[in-house]
Amino acid sequence: MARSKYSAKKKKKSVSRKVIDFFAGSEHRAYLVGGYVRDSTLGRESIDIDVVVEGDGISAARKLNAVLKGKIVSHPDFGTASIDIDGYRVDIASARTEKYPSPAHLPHVYPSTIVEDLNRRDFTINAIAMSISRTNFGEIFDPFDGLSDIKHKLVRVLHRGSFIDDPTRIFRALRYKNRFQFKLEDETERLMREAVKAGMIMKLSGPRILNEVALVFAEETYAEIVSDLIHYGILTLKRRDLRLMPSTSELAFYFLLSKLPRNMLPLTREMKKVVDGFRKIEDTMDKLHRSGTKSKIYNALSPVAEEVIEAMPIVNPQLSDKTKIFHNLRHVKPFITGKDLKKYGFKPENMYSKILHSVFLLQLDKKLKSRRDALAYLKNLSKN
Ligand code: CTP
């Protein structure tokens, strides 16, 4: 274990070294920026290396990749490219300014210089650049005193309209606050509350909200972030709801989605099943609580998504025996099949699954003890 960690660290060093050496030896005007500079200042490892190039970022990225030999994907519309190499990602962007056509919508993008590029960013701690160009290697651009905010552990927006332009920054602020144990600077906190009050979150599209919620649950401190989301009125959860939140990040993610308005999120069919299950988790748990027999346990849990069943004993340990029983019941082989129903002349065929289910429940409760019993029961049934 320790060995692989060591080698990962070594590889990462060599990737950032190669990036820096490439630009320092080239004609490009390039800067390390954003998360990479912030994390290095904080002494934290970062697997993303963010570079901004004044000029054509994509062509610089292609030349860089001739050295790195990673997997490159470019996005000409945004003037950006990403290179994946050895588990690390190098993001290369063309310096740009952004103009928001209207609040909460994606911005229009124009080429610019590094200082203009820093102006468009979210927080002072992310608006620091360090030159890796030949001519001014090592020069720091910190127009908003981000280094001082890092030192004083503050998350601060660059301007009053920041959360209105891009309400995803509300989630981002809370992620940074909890990840680094920083404080929201007073005016930033006030502006954030104002944006929440103005209903800016609901102006975001479903995919953007889903992405932000997923990013929250990718953080180690997701539980604290959820607390903040509630505290600032971004999420309306009742105290009872919080008691129901499962204590693993994946399950908690689905649980939280179940508290957001229906139809707003672009969920896949499988995700929808889990989320709908969480919407009904309390009812299902009550039902399970009241279920004494195996057939009742099976009936309560068979329509429910696996993730929801998994969450129940975490939420209420008293239910763990019953969920274990259910897992065993799922391996029980039914005494009879559709073929038997056909043989006994049951009609119509669309009733088969209902009949098979009810016979299976009798089997689970040992009211039918063998295939022979089950066939006798069927024979009887076919006469009525
Ligand atoms: N950024 C921004 N506004 C946003 C998203 C991103 O200003 N809504 C800028 C920030 O300067 C940020 C950079 O784009 O540093 C890169 O974004 P991202 O990769 O999301 O953030 P990181 O800073 O790399 O942070 P993380 O560690 O969370 O990935």
Side-chain angles (χ1 to χ4, degrees):
M1 194 69 183
R3 206 181 139 83
S4 70
K5 231 177 164 178
Y6 171 71
S7 59
K9 207 167 178 173
K10 249 179 81 176
K11 265 182 195 158
K12 190 231 156 184
K13 259 197 183 149
S14 74
V15 172
S16 55
R17 191 75 253 165
K18 280 181 194 167
V19 172
I20 292 169
D21 289 349
F22 166 80
F23 283 108
S26 79
E27 291 305 316
H28 296 285
R29 292 190 65 82
Y31 305 83
L32 290 171
V33 286
Y36 186 81
V37 176
R38 179 198 67 217
D39 289 348
S40 310
T41 311
L42 283 164
R44 291 170 71 106
E45 265 216 75
S46 161
I47 53 166
D48 285 340
I49 301 168
D50 299 317
V51 177
V52 164
V53 173
E54 284 178 340
D56 185 352
I58 294 183
S59 112
R62 287 205 188 104
K63 287 188 233 159
L64 169 63
N65 198 40
V67 179
L68 294 183
K69 299 189 173 44
K71 192 168 165 278
I72 184 165
V73 178
S74 52
H75 307 280
D77 287 353
F78 297 98
T80 60
S82 302
I83 300 171
D84 283 315
I85 171 137
D86 294 341
Y88 295 93
R89 162 171 285 209
V90 188
D91 284 317
I92 300 106
S94 315
R96 62 190 199 255
T97 45
E98 293 178 341
K99 295 218 161 48
Y100 287 85
S102 52
H105 285 80
L106 291 173
H108 293 160
V109 171
Y110 305 90
S112 76
T113 61
I114 185 68
V115 173
E116 284 171 322
D117 186 285
L118 296 177
N119 279 335
R120 74 177 169 86
R121 291 176 182 262
D122 50 3
F123 305 109
T124 59
I125 57 171
N126 288 339
I128 309 165
M130 188 191 106
S131 169
I132 46 174
S133 312
R134 198 158 43 171
T135 47
N136 59 341
F137 190 91
E139 189 178 344
I140 302 283
F141 292 78
D142 181 16
F144 302 99
D145 284 335
L147 288 173
S148 157
D149 282 342
I150 290 178
K151 193 166 154 211
H152 295 104
K153 297 175 171 290
L154 289 174
V155 179
R156 183 198 306 267
V157 282
L158 305 192
H159 60 91
R160 294 176 51 89
S162 190
F163 291 120
I164 304 286
D165 283 346
D166 180 355
T168 64
R169 290 173 176 167
I170 296 169
F171 291 92
R172 295 175 66 83
L174 298 178
R175 282 202 285 123
Y176 293 132
K177 166 181 178 276
N178 288 288
R179 190 196 299 169
F180 303 133
Q181 302 292 299
F182 278 17
K183 240 179 83 40
L184 297 181
E185 173 269 333
D186 289 348
E187 178 66 359
T188 299
E189 186 179 25
R190 195 188 65 73
L191 292 167
M192 192 181 90
R193 283 184 190 278
E194 225 173 70
V196 172
K197 213 164 153 201
M200 292 313 296
I201 302 277
M202 295 314 286
K203 296 212 164 136
L204 288 169
S205 66
R208 292 186 82 196
I209 293 188
L210 185 59
N211 185 46
E212 289 308 318
V213 175
L215 288 173
V216 166
F217 284 91
E219 298 277 340
E220 268 175 36
T221 54
Y222 74 87
E224 286 84 349
I225 306 174
V226 170
S227 272
D228 273 348
L229 291 170
I230 296 169
H231 172 76
Y232 287 107
I234 296 157
L235 268 180
T236 40
L237 281 195
K238 300 186 195 92
R239 201 175 298 178
R240 200 189 54 200
D241 289 335
L242 258 191
R243 253 199 354 251
L244 288 174
M245 186 161 100
S247 55
T248 69
S249 111
E250 195 200 345
L251 295 176
F253 169 61
Y254 285 116
F255 173 79
L256 199 86
L257 293 184
S258 76
K259 298 291 159 196
L260 297 176
R262 245 173 232 271
N263 300 332
M264 191 182 79
L265 305 168
L267 303 178
T268 60
R269 195 207 281 235
E270 293 84 63
M271 286 173 92
K272 224 175 230 151
K273 186 170 178 209
V274 182
V275 169
D276 283 345
F278 274 115
R279 284 206 171 100
K280 288 181 269 183
I281 189 169
E282 253 181 310
D283 291 348
T284 313
M285 292 207 312
D286 282 351
K287 201 165 161 192
L288 191 59
H289 220 75
R290 290 194 307 270
S291 303
T293 59
K294 288 182 175 167
S295 63
K296 287 203 168 129
I297 293 173
Y298 188 82
N299 251 345
L301 293 186
S302 53
V304 179
E306 189 56 45
E307 289 85 345
V308 182
I309 298 172
E310 208 185 302
M312 288 185 188
I314 301 176
V315 173
N316 180 352
Q318 278 180 12
L319 294 176
S320 86
D321 286 348
K322 288 185 176 172
T323 53
K324 269 188 207 141
I325 291 173
F326 176 70
H327 283 301
N328 292 332
L329 295 182
R330 283 204 296 201
H331 295 118
V332 174
K333 195 165 169 248
F335 290 147
I336 59 159
T337 66
K339 269 191 194 153
D340 299 312
L341 298 185
K342 211 166 197 166
K343 208 164 111 196
Y344 284 93
F346 280 92
K347 274 189 183 126
E349 289 196 7
N350 62 11
M351 288 299 288
Y352 279 18
S353 64
K354 217 169 172 184
I355 300 171
L356 290 173
H357 183 71
S358 65
V359 176
F360 187 57
L361 295 182
L362 293 171
Q363 173 183 343
L364 294 182
D365 287 344
K366 302 239 167 356
K367 289 182 178 152
L368 299 171
K369 294 196 176 66
S370 63
R371 174 164 162 81
R372 191 199 280 182
D373 276 2
L375 289 175
Y377 175 81
L378 270 193
K379 202 169 183 180
N380 226 340
L381 203 66
S382 67
K383 287 184 194 146
N384 300 328

